[in-house]
Amino acid sequence: MRTTKTQKLEFGSSAMLGLFLGMHAKHLISLAELSREEILTILDRAEYWASQSDDELPESLKSLNKPIVCNLFFEPSTRTRFSFEVAAKKLNLHVLNFDYKSSSSQKGETFYDTIRTLESMGVGIAIVRSSEEYLLSEIADKIKTTSLINAGAGISEHPTQALLDLMTIKKEFGSFEGLKVSIIGDVKHSRVARSSLHALQRFGANVSLCGPDVFIPDANAFPFKMKVLNIEEALSTADVVMLLRIQNERHNISLGHYRDQFGLTSTRLALMQAHTKIMHPAPFNRGVEIDDELIESDRSLIFKQVANGVAVRMAVLERAIR
Ligand code: CP
């Protein structure tokens, strides 16, 4: 994928028409763009959507614009892609699924030109996952009527994952202030770790990191406060143990003894306090980051995270519509 220099917004273009019709893009590219109040509003709306039955769309939503939503996933995904699609369908929005392999990207079309093409067709929301960190931020100012939503960008950000993690923690613990969270695993290559650290530290949680040295970022190049614990400390002090997948697609580091040294095994579970909960953004490597029998145990919030992902993405789509 390449980005390119762009044309000016021309009078008479569909983007200009969109502006006249009052359709302004409302991007969500980075959590840093959102104030604390905006994040809390998204979490409140997500809880509202989670409490609704699927039978009837609320009157308040029937009068809103009904933009077409397009999922553009340049990297694999199950949870994010389908939960955005489920969320859009619950909001009665039409969803298009861009297929990278059969698209004109294969003929060298730039990402900007792909988005401008969809914008010209009237697509209102583009949900984008990519291995490139700055793909969306490089073009965001030039896209006026299609809201761009970051569904995971390289190792830098995964804002909706952090929002659903916040929602899951809030439902379980009530607040974030002073909560002790241990993020364990491949922190260095994880966009989930970066977004969750950003969100949790902003809301006053006390976040620690743990993992093999090769998976712990260099403190000088890492834009967050870093406290690194050994595995025993990370498990015994935490209210929430947030496990990360080893990002094998982003490096060639092979650690044969990962489970023995850092995996959440049934034996290590005994180190955790009775109230401590387990989270993992998934997909997980069963028997590596976490033992099979713990994934669906009463200590695990993993499938609650997935369910909350739909409600959070409804709230994020709703924010883009209003
Ligand atoms: N947690 C997460 O982003 O999962 P997917 O890669 O399946 O979307």
Side-chain angles (χ1 to χ4, degrees):
M1 256 179 302
R2 289 173 295 124
T3 52
T4 188
K5 292 213 177 341
T6 59
Q7 313 91 309
K8 277 191 292 193
L9 191 63
E10 287 177 11
F11 187 82
S13 68
S14 61
M16 187 57 86
L17 184 65
L19 289 175
F20 279 133
L21 291 174
M23 296 183 291
H24 295 279
K26 202 160 185 184
H27 306 313
L28 175 51
I29 296 173
S30 169
L31 277 185
E33 297 161 10
L34 299 177
S35 66
R36 280 171 60 100
E37 289 65 36
E38 283 175 299
I39 291 176
L40 291 173
T41 300
I42 289 172
L43 299 185
D44 283 349
R45 291 303 296 168
E47 287 197 29
Y48 165 79
W49 287 117
S51 70
Q52 294 298 297
S53 82
D54 287 345
D55 305 339
E56 181 71 31
L57 201 63
E59 285 300 323
S60 62
L61 208 74
K62 288 182 183 163
S63 59
L64 292 176
N65 289 327
K66 287 285 190 310
I68 293 171
V69 175
C70 187
N71 274 328
L72 297 98
F73 279 63
F74 298 92
E75 273 194 344
S77 169
T78 297
R79 273 144 293 275
T80 313
R81 178 181 155 175
F82 287 108
S83 65
F84 264 117
E85 185 162 352
V86 170
K89 289 182 169 165
K90 283 178 173 241
L91 295 172
N92 267 3
L93 305 178
H94 289 293
V95 181
L96 309 176
N97 280 298
F98 174 86
D99 176 20
Y100 176 55
K101 288 201 174 129
S102 64
S103 74
S104 287
S105 302
Q106 301 296 335
K107 296 185 261 184
E109 184 161 63
T110 65
F111 178 67
Y112 171 75
D113 289 333
T114 300
I115 295 293
R116 275 294 289 125
T117 299
L118 294 171
E119 184 178 45
S120 302
M121 291 175 186
V123 167
I125 300 176
I127 297 160
V128 181
R129 168 167 292 188
S130 132
S131 58
E132 295 183 30
E133 292 183 26
Y134 302 109
L135 197 65
L136 291 178
S137 52
E138 278 174 354
I139 70 164
D141 285 351
K142 298 158 197 155
I143 301 298
K144 305 294 182 193
T145 62
T146 301
S147 296
L148 303 174
I149 297 180
N150 182 353
I155 64 165
S156 66
E157 292 225 33
H158 194 348
T160 59
Q161 178 70 44
L163 289 168
L164 76 86
D165 288 346
L166 285 183
M167 177 181 177
T168 306
I169 290 172
K170 186 163 174 271
K171 281 177 88 163
E172 197 66 29
F173 293 92
S175 72
F176 309 105
E177 193 66 45
L179 197 76
K180 292 196 172 88
V181 181
S182 291
I183 301 183
I184 302 175
D186 187 357
V187 181
K188 187 171 185 173
H189 306 98
S190 172
R191 55 190 171 216
V192 173
R194 283 167 179 74
S195 286
S196 292
L197 261 161
H198 173 97
L200 287 164
Q201 288 186 344
R202 252 172 104 185
F203 281 94
N206 185 346
V207 187
S208 302
L209 307 179
C210 173
D213 289 346
V214 286
F215 290 162
I216 297 297
D218 174 357
N220 297 322
F222 199 60
F224 304 99
K225 280 183 281 178
M226 268 180 63
K227 183 168 70 175
V228 180
L229 302 178
N230 65 40
I231 187 66
E232 288 79 17
E233 291 167 334
L235 294 175
S236 62
T237 58
D239 300 303
V240 175
V241 168
M242 190 180 280
L243 305 173
L244 298 175
R245 182 176 65 86
I246 300 174
Q247 306 271 307
N248 290 313
E249 71 276 28
R250 303 198 196 281
H251 54 70
N252 295 315
I253 301 165
S254 174
L255 297 177
H257 301 295
Y258 185 89
R259 177 179 178 273
D260 293 344
Q261 293 175 342
F262 292 96
L264 183 56
T265 60
S266 297
T267 309
R268 284 209 176 97
L269 185 75
L271 294 172
M272 289 167 37
Q273 300 169 70
H275 72 275
T276 303
K277 297 293 185 190
I278 304 163
M279 295 175 68
H280 191 309
F284 31 75
N285 295 303
R286 284 180 183 262
V288 180
E289 296 113 34
I290 180 166
D291 277 2
D292 253 358
E293 59 272 24
L294 302 183
I295 291 170
E296 295 186 62
S297 71
D298 59 3
R299 309 295 292 278
S300 167
L301 302 176
I302 295 172
F303 285 98
K304 287 186 180 168
Q305 289 173 263
V306 176
N308 291 337
V310 173
V312 156
R313 285 161 182 138
M314 290 178 81
V316 165
L317 290 172
E318 183 186 28
R319 172 182 177 271
I321 295 170
R322 286 186 189 277

